[in-house]
Amino acid sequence: MSVAHDPHYGPWTIEEVLALGEDRGQRRELMGEALMISPAPGTKHQRASSRLWSLLDRAVQEEGVPAEVLEAINLILPDGLFIPDIVVVEAAAAAENPVTCDADDVLLVVEIVSPSSSGRRTDRLLKPPYYAEAGIEHLWRLELEPVPTLVVCELQDGRYVERIVAEAGRTTLIEKPFPVELDPAALVSPRGKAGA
């Protein structure tokens, strides 16, 4: 049995990508007018995302920051639509349960670097300039390989500058945009292992 469909090869718009609907098996992002599709993240990535979300959520609450910590939300940028692993967004912007969030409302974006070569290139090189153009002040990049490392960047003169590199096996205090203490190794260790 064949299924008739109208293939769309691009260029794509944000509206067209959002009209594709939710798909938990893959992420659909828009870089300019190019559609990027990536598979759902693996176990180590999901473990790190969940634990980092929990740390950030606790920090936001303890500091009384009027913000929400969200995972895998549609983030509208001046020239694209990305789905960062974690976003800390102003509480008022998240209050109405939107399908998307605007970059103007974002305090922090976190990317957990994908293990594939194309994923590494996208997370390290391609996405940061889009976030910088949008004026998102804080970008964290969690490297899983070869050892867990968190690279903390801050926007300066239109580009990101590394401020802290938190290494596995050592607890590091990150003060901006709000204080968080973490050991990158504890974010990825399976339950029952040291640091979990």
Side-chain angles (χ1 to χ4, degrees):
M1 179 173 142
S2 63
V3 177
H5 67 284
D6 182 20
H8 182 89
Y9 298 105
W12 288 83
T13 66
I14 290 171
E15 293 76 19
E16 289 169 333
V17 173
L18 292 173
L20 293 172
E22 187 175 335
D23 184 343
R24 295 199 181 273
Q26 62 184 4
R27 289 187 181 184
R28 299 182 193 114
E29 297 176 296
L30 190 62
M31 187 174 289
E33 296 178 336
L35 181 65
M36 300 184 313
I37 298 175
S38 57
T43 303
K44 187 186 243 187
H45 186 288
Q46 290 184 25
R47 184 183 300 128
S49 182
S50 175
R51 291 180 185 167
L52 187 51
W53 177 92
S54 181
L55 286 170
L56 289 169
D57 189 59
R58 186 171 35 245
V60 162
Q61 290 180 45
E62 288 174 359
E63 291 297 312
V65 178
E68 283 225 33
V69 184
L70 305 171
E71 287 185 283
I73 190 163
N74 296 302
L75 175 59
I76 303 292
L77 302 165
D79 194 25
L81 167 74
F82 288 167
I83 303 174
D85 294 298
I86 300 173
V87 175
V88 179
V89 63
E90 293 175 6
E96 295 178 23
N97 196 27
V99 173
T100 64
C101 109
D102 291 324
D104 292 343
D105 300 317
V106 174
L107 305 174
L108 166 67
V109 64
V110 179
E111 288 289 353
I112 300 172
V113 178
S114 300
S116 70
S117 61
S118 64
R120 288 192 305 269
R121 195 168 31 259
T122 299
D123 292 338
R124 291 177 184 158
L125 303 174
L126 299 178
K127 286 185 173 184
Y130 283 83
Y131 293 140
E133 179 186 16
I136 298 172
E137 191 170 347
H138 301 278
L139 168 65
W140 293 5
R141 187 180 77 240
L142 180 60
E143 300 277 351
L144 300 178
E145 303 295 334
V147 294
T149 305
L150 181 67
V151 181
V152 176
C153 301
E154 191 172 336
L155 194 61
Q156 179 180 321
D157 300 324
R159 65 182 191 82
Y160 288 109
V161 176
E162 288 183 13
R163 297 293 187 206
I164 297 172
V165 177
E167 299 174 350
R170 184 181 328 157
T171 300
T172 301
L173 172 62
I174 301 163
E175 299 203 31
K176 292 181 181 180
F178 37 79
V180 178
E181 279 190 312
L182 60 82
D183 173 357
L187 298 175
V188 301
S189 299
R191 295 269 185 238
K193 299 265 182 171

